[in-house]
Amino acid sequence: AKSGGRGTYVQYEPEMDAHLQAVQQMRVSLRQALANGDLEVHYQPLVDLHTGKITTFEALARWPHPERDQVSPAEFIPVAEETGLIGSLGEWILRQACTEALKWPPHVSVAVNLSPLQFRNQGLAATVGDILEETGLEASRLQLEITESVLLDDCDGNLQILKAIRRLGVKIAIDDFGTGFSSLGYLRTFPFDKIKVDRSFITDLPDGRESLAIVRAVAAIGRSLGIVTTVEGVERQRQFDVIKAEGFDEAQGYLIARPLPAEQATKLAHSAHVE
Ligand code: C2E
Ligand code: CA
Ligand code: CA
Ligand code: CA
C-alpha cells in the first residue's frame, strides 16, 4: 500500500494503475493530435429508401495513429470523456462537419454525434448556435445524434439544453434506439425528429423473428408520431429489402457505403444516386 495522505492508505492496485496510465498517455497524445490537426472526420451516407438519394452524411471521428493502424472512436471518445477533452474535441468535430456540409447540395444534411458529457457545458446550445453562425450553415441542415443517456442522466438540465438547441432549428435524432431501458418513454419526453434503430436489431434480419417484430413496431411508431425512421448497420441486401418493405424512411450501412474521407464524401454528395 502507498500512503494517500495523512493517516489514510490507498490500496495499491497495479492493474488500476496500468489502466490509468494508459488513459493518461492516450489523453496526452489525443490532445496533441487535436492541436496538431491530426484528427479527421469521415462521413457515411444515409439514403432515402423511396428515392435512393442521399439525405444525410453522419460525421464520424477518425484518428489515424502513427504507431497503430487507427484508433477506433469507440476507444478514444471514452478517453476524451474521462479526461475532459470531449468539450473541445466535440466542438472541433461540429465545426469541421458544418464546414464540410457547405460543400454539399443544399438538400443534404449533416449528422453529428453528441456525447452526454458535452451537456455538462451549460452553454452548449449557445456553442452550437455560434458554430452555425460562424460557418454559415443553415440550422435545418444540422442533425445532432444523442443517446437516451442524455435524458437519463440528471436530466431536467439536459432537457432544457436540448430544447434550446432545437429552438435554433437544429434537428435531434435519438441514436442506438432500442438498446436502453426505456427508449419508448423518451419519445414522450422530447419531440425527436429522427429515430435511428440500433444495428443490433438489424444484424439478425431477416431471420430473427424478435428483431423483425421490434423493427416493425418502431417503423409503425415513427409513422404515427411523424418521426423520420432510420436504421444503421445495413450490410446485406436482404436486410435492406426488409427495412424498405417495413416502411423505414432511410438506411445507413456498409452495403450502401462505408464512412468516407471528406473529399470522397463530397464527391459522392454531388453524384445523383448511390448503389
Ligand atoms: P454510432 O454513433 O452508433 O456510429 C455508427 C457506427 O457504426 C460507426 O462506427 C460506423 O462506422 C459503424 N457502421 C456503419 N455502418 C456499419 C455496418 O454496416 N456494419 C458495421 N458493423 N458497422 C457499421 P465508428 O465510426 O467506429 O464509431 C463508433 C462509435 O463511436 C459511434 O457509434 C459513436 O458512438 C462514437 N463516435 C464516433 N464518432 C464520434 C464523434 O464525432 N463524437 C462522438 N461523441 N462520438 C463519436
Ligand atoms: Ca451515431
Ligand atoms: Ca448509432
Ligand atoms: Ca450503434
Side-chain angles (χ1 to χ4, degrees):
K2 85 180 167 192
S3 176
R6 225 190 332 184
T8 62
Y9 285 86
V10 176
Q11 196 59 41
Y12 187 82
E13 291 177 41
E15 276 167 39
M16 177 74 154
D17 237 40
H19 170 75
L20 283 180
Q21 242 177 36
V23 165
Q24 270 320 94
Q25 246 164 40
M26 193 181 266
R27 177 196 194 218
V28 170
S29 44
L30 187 56
R31 183 186 287 285
Q32 259 168 15
L34 186 59
N36 296 346
D38 292 340
L39 296 177
E40 294 176 6
V41 182
H42 286 198
Y43 299 88
Q44 187 180 31
L46 280 72
V47 296
D48 184 312
L49 285 169
H50 310 293
T51 65
K53 286 188 177 161
I54 295 171
T55 62
T56 313
F57 283 93
E58 178 178 11
L60 294 160
R62 291 291 178 267
W63 185 9
H65 200 272
E67 283 129 50
R68 300 168 50 178
D69 273 359
Q70 276 253 344
V71 187
S72 162
E75 192 178 338
F76 71 78
I77 295 289
V79 170
E81 290 174 339
E82 260 180 84
T83 60
L85 208 58
I86 192 66
S88 44
L89 179 60
E91 280 181 34
W92 181 81
I93 293 163
L94 187 58
R95 195 171 282 115
Q96 287 289 118
C98 290
T99 304
E100 200 58 37
L102 284 171
K103 302 176 188 167
W104 308 337
H107 64 272
V108 179
S109 299
V110 66
V112 179
N113 293 286
L114 280 190
S115 156
L117 292 191
Q118 288 180 264
F119 285 78
R120 295 236 178 118
N121 168 13
Q122 293 303 306
L124 181 62
T127 303
V128 172
D130 288 347
I131 291 175
L132 287 170
E133 205 162 298
E134 250 175 62
T135 58
L137 186 74
E138 216 179 299
S140 61
R141 291 182 65 192
L142 176 64
Q143 300 168 12
L144 296 176
E145 298 192 357
I146 62 156
T147 53
E148 65 172 51
S149 59
V150 166
L151 294 178
L152 180 124
D153 279 341
D154 76 44
C155 276
D156 195 52
N158 290 359
L159 186 61
Q160 296 316 318
I161 294 173
L162 213 51
K163 284 181 175 166
I165 293 175
R166 202 162 180 273
R167 277 198 296 274
L168 296 170
V170 172
K171 304 274 197 292
I172 309 290
I174 186 159
D175 201 357
D176 299 343
F177 190 78
T179 54
F181 290 110
S182 41
S183 295
L184 285 181
Y186 296 111
L187 296 182
R188 215 171 43 176
T189 309
F190 185 78
F192 286 98
D193 299 287
K194 184 183 282 196
I195 297 173
K196 287 186 89 172
V197 176
D198 191 63
R199 176 161 66 87
S200 58
F201 294 98
I202 311 310
T203 309
D204 61 349
L205 291 183
D207 303 319
R209 287 181 50 212
E210 290 78 11
S211 291
L212 182 59
I214 291 165
V215 151
R216 180 170 292 162
V218 175
I221 289 167
R223 245 190 323 272
S224 55
L225 292 179
I227 304 175
V228 173
T229 51
T230 303
V231 303
E232 61 179 15
V234 177
E235 295 181 350
R236 294 190 295 274
Q237 188 61 47
R238 289 188 65 198
Q239 297 170 336
F240 184 95
D241 295 341
V242 170
I243 288 310
K244 190 172 174 176
E246 293 301 332
F248 276 84
D249 298 305
E250 299 176 332
Q252 175 182 18
Y254 294 167
L255 177 73
I256 299 150
R258 299 229 165 208
L260 301 166
E263 213 174 289
Q264 284 180 42
T266 294
K267 239 181 240 165
L268 187 62
H270 288 281
S271 68
H273 285 268
V274 193
E275 274 192 305

